[in-house]
Amino acid sequence: MAGASDYLAAMSLSDVLTIAPAGLYCPAGDFYIDPLRPVARALITHGHADHARAGHGAVLATRETLDIMALRYGEKFAASRQAMAPGERITLGDVAISFHPAGHVLGSAQILVESKGYRVVVSGDYKRARDPTCAPFEPVRCHAFVSEATFGLPVFRHPDAAGEVDRLLRSIALFSDRAHMVGVYSLGKAQRVMALLREAGWERPLYIHGALEKITDYYARAGAPLGEIRKVSAADRATLAGEITLCPPSSLQDVWSRKFPDPVTAVASGWMRIRAFARQRGAQLPLAISDHADWDDLRATILETGCESLWVTHGAEDALVHWAGGQGIDARPLRLVGYGEGDEETAEGPA
Amino acid sequence: MNRFAALLDRLALEPSRNNKLRVLAAYFRETPDSDRGLALAAMTGALAVASIRPATVRALIAERVDPELFALSYDFVGDLSETVALMWPVDPARHHNRAPAPSLSAIVETLRATGKRDAPARLAGFLDDLDETGRWALLKLLTGALRIGVSARLAKTAVAALGDVSIEDVEEVWHGLAPPYAELFAWAEGRGPRPVSDDPAPFRAPMLAHALTPADMEALDPRDYIAEWKWDGVRVQAAVVDRADGARVARLYSRAGEDMSGAFPDMIEALLASTFVNVILDGELLVRDGAAIRPFADLQQRLNRKAPTAKMLRDFPPLLRVYDLLLDASEDIRATPFAARRRRLETLMRENPGAAFDLSPLVPFASFDELADMRREGPTATEGVMLKRADSVYVTGRPKGPWWKWKREPYNVDAVLMYAQRGHGKRASLYSDFTFGVWRDGDLLPVGKSYFGFTDAELSQLDKWVRENTTNRFGPVREVAHGADDGLVLEIAFEGLNRSTRHKSGLAMRFPRIARIRWDKKAGEADAIAALEALLPAPAVQPP
Ligand SMILES: [Zn+2]
Ligand SMILES: [Zn+2]
């Protein structure tokens, strides 16, 4: 950052955050960010399973992330919890922390850690594309940035999500006698696809698999524009020709999907850009709709933060590290074992 | 181009034939003439475009992106055209001014008019203007690696579906047409006349038979029918015609109208050397061995090759066994009853002898019982009998009633289910592909694989049994219990058996299907390999 004092110039990212067996650790504040196993004090960026795990002592997160964790793991997911409002600043030990919207899913946040004036932002997962169901990403200037890189290769440039939804609607126009089933992850992707369908003018009820019910209800109560949502009953299935049903991707290949009339199977995921993945998932209609920043947005965001140091986590670290080096940014891959494994979208990448 | 590319993507991922047809028909309905015509040409293998080497594509991308990023991306995606299509840099300004993307026909015409030296720059310009899918399809097309998930016949069927014409009609006019087929679309949509073929030896869509069931048979009077052998070869049509300028033309077509002349130059030569004048013959293509017929597998070897090797020409000479006559001395006799056509055919074959073709004999019979016996004892290379109404005219397609095929009872064996795999499309959630084996020295030896023959209810029973008796998993494949006491016995019906060096069991079943699930039998009671070996044809004696 411009205007940094000599004192600041002597500080580095590793003075603020270290890599411990349980994940990213801040010694000066004695807390972990998105730890991979139970710890005494955890700051959680968002509710996806590889970031938000049950069994911590104290959890600090946004109100929505705490609610989502309670929905997924039960009220006793942590010994104690504290909600952080966006932009609210508190002190933990020798550092100040604040949460800033990441635009990834409802409640998702980047975490800013300030230590003696040195600013580190841990992005969690984020996207820059518009999403009617959550607050947009807010760029935060910092000295050091810890970025995700799920789609950190130049082959990933996500198309306009509205165009992808339009392809789904055109398929329904052509195959009005077939059920259209969209494989989506339960937290975030499902509700974004619903809201995009409403924006595209689809007014019929949207049908959902039971696995999507809790989180979808929560989004609706939080005011997401989802329209009428109906849970699919066993008896409904045969009657859903020409309708849209959302379900977890795994259900597309399940016994459950057999009763739908000649289903068109769509899968909404950033990985659907690659034909081999679409084929592997058995998607007849791959929809490249992602909750993560694509290559262009990753690069733009890194430049926007003004960071001097960059740590790159889960995904394709190498390409982003290579590019950042060319930009004069001190970049290194952070190969934390465990990220991406329980994640909703990263789980689809090549093993 | 973007639209054609999107069509290809959809076709590649849609497993059902009927749904592919609907996707295609919608594309043909909504796409303007020259583009849909070139798309049809691409799908029928008739589109000629200047080719571009992969090295040229690599050079284009190397000028535009960081080589390290390209290497990482290519390694991840694994396909050159797809990698380049996805990472091709796009100028955001161009993206926003919404100039319409170039059409398939504009691209094909431009590249046709471009010299080799300028082709890379032209290609780069098109890649700038297309979207990711369009770039992918264009690169695949120009590097000759475009794979289309439909057959030529399905594409033509979709054209026929545009209006009131049949696929047989389309096949008949097809050989006189060239891309972009404007007159074909006009005719199919009822806006123009039937295209006139100037091909001197055009294809005539064949007449097909229905399989005869016992119920059908009860309604038939044997006196109305003429029987002949059903040969175990492939149905073909041979045309020998003198062109207006006196040149002699011979063609060999498959049942679907594909020109097979290139694969059978020896047959074409024999037809040209014959004394036939302006005839179209309908018959069976076989491979001969002196006066005998060689096994189907030998014919298969020749069918697999676009151009035969010298050894194949020597070892597997073709034979055309003729059973119908469509054009006789320039006269179209398809509207003549079968009995009369047959008499003309007998005369024709007597007057024009040749080693490469002969007449398929009739099988006289008094009753269906008698015919049933003869059918079982038929000569080698037959798979049953054909019944044709003496008064039937030759019509294209598969009308029910005039022609019947009555196949020999398939062979049967009791085998044990060993492995099951998920099916495709509608069956993707079910274990519907089954591998089965028979006993050899106390162990099961896999002898075949089948995914049909059962009812939906039986399939769900099989699926349930597989799930409950899984002992091992390998990716999509489940191994199931198959001990002498806990295995499931399947009665397998099949059409024939050949020796095979590619299968561990040394034999290959033709068209195996699951005839019955033998819940009543124990796996230990299933057949042994000896039961199958007894059915094998005697090994061909190799000449010294
Ligand atoms: Zn996430
Ligand atoms: Zn994640």
Side-chain angles (χ1 to χ4, degrees), chain B residues 64-194:
Chain B
R64 286 165 174 80
V65 303
D66 181 316
E68 171 101 23
L69 293 179
F70 173 75
L72 287 167
S73 298
Y74 186 25
D75 187 50
F76 183 84
V77 176
D79 179 280
L80 178 66
S81 297
E82 192 169 354
T83 309
V84 171
L86 290 173
M87 70 185 301
W88 188 264
V90 184
D91 174 4
R94 191 194 286 269
H95 221 60
H96 284 293
N97 69 21
R98 298 255 167 235
S103 65
L104 175 60
S105 48
I107 293 173
V108 169
E109 276 159 31
T110 305
L111 289 176
R112 215 171 257 164
T114 305
K116 256 208 146 47
R117 204 168 47 101
D118 298 331
R122 288 283 190 188
L123 171 59
F126 288 130
L127 294 176
D128 285 341
D129 291 339
L130 291 168
D131 68 12
E132 276 82 356
T133 313
R135 287 196 288 269
W136 165 78
L138 180 59
L139 289 169
K140 286 281 181 194
L141 182 67
L142 298 182
T143 54
L146 186 62
R147 253 176 231 102
I148 297 177
V150 294
S151 64
R153 185 165 169 93
L154 195 68
K156 293 176 201 167
T157 307
V159 174
L162 289 175
D164 206 18
V165 303
S166 70
I167 171 63
E168 289 78 17
D169 287 330
V170 174
E171 294 282 20
E172 274 199 14
V173 301
W174 182 259
H175 288 276
L177 303 175
Y181 309 110
E183 68 276 42
L184 174 68
F185 284 106
W187 169 56
E189 290 174 337
R191 295 183 289 106
R194 181 185 173 104

Side-chain angles (χ1 to χ4, degrees), chain A residues 328-351:
Chain A
I329 298 170
D330 174 29
R332 60 175 268 209
L334 206 58
R335 293 198 171 83
L336 288 173
V337 179
Y339 281 123
E341 281 169 12
D343 191 330
E344 313 232 311
E345 189 150 19
T346 46
E348 271 190 85

Side-chain angles (χ1 to χ4, degrees), chain A residues 153-157 159 167 170-171 174-178 180 252-258 262-264 271 273-279 282-286 295 299 316 318-320 322-323 349-350, chain B residues 5 9-10 12-16 18-20 22-23 26 29-30 66 68-70 72-74 76-77 82-90 132-133 135-137 422 425-426 428-430 460 463 467:
Chain A
L153 276 172
V155 290
F156 290 108
R157 282 181 305 196
R167 293 201 297 119
R170 274 187 284 137
S171 178
L174 176 61
F175 290 119
S176 58
D177 55 341
R178 302 175 68 187
H180 280 65
L252 292 175
Q253 310 292 337
D254 247 14
V255 183
W256 180 78
S257 69
R258 284 190 223 166
D262 193 11
V264 174
W271 298 108
R273 204 55 161 163
I274 309 288
R275 285 175 178 77
F277 291 171
R279 237 172 283 129
Q284 286 158 25
L285 197 61
W295 173 252
R299 290 184 305 160
D318 295 343
L320 210 54
H322 171 79
W323 166 82
Chain B
D9 257 349
R10 184 76 198 248
L13 296 169
E14 172 60 64
S16 134
N18 184 41
N19 290 329
K20 281 184 198 227
R22 291 168 68 183
V23 170
R29 251 195 317 275
E30 293 159 8
D66 181 316
E68 171 101 23
L69 293 179
F70 173 75
L72 287 167
S73 298
Y74 186 25
F76 183 84
V77 176
E82 192 169 354
T83 309
V84 171
L86 290 173
M87 70 185 301
W88 188 264
V90 184
E132 276 82 356
T133 313
R135 287 196 288 269
W136 165 78
R422 284 176 192 262
K426 262 178 115 164
S429 61
L430 294 165
S460 79
D463 178 68
R467 287 170 198 274

Side-chain angles (χ1 to χ4, degrees), chain B residues 6 22 55 81-82 88-89 97 160 183 196 232 235 259 322 356 408 410 433 446 458 476 504 506 537:
Chain B
R22 291 168 68 183
S81 297
E82 192 169 354
W88 188 264
N97 69 21
E183 68 276 42
V196 185
D232 188 14
R235 180 85 176 271
D259 194 336
V322 185
R408 189 174 301 144
D433 290 17
E458 285 172 328
K504 199 173 150 196

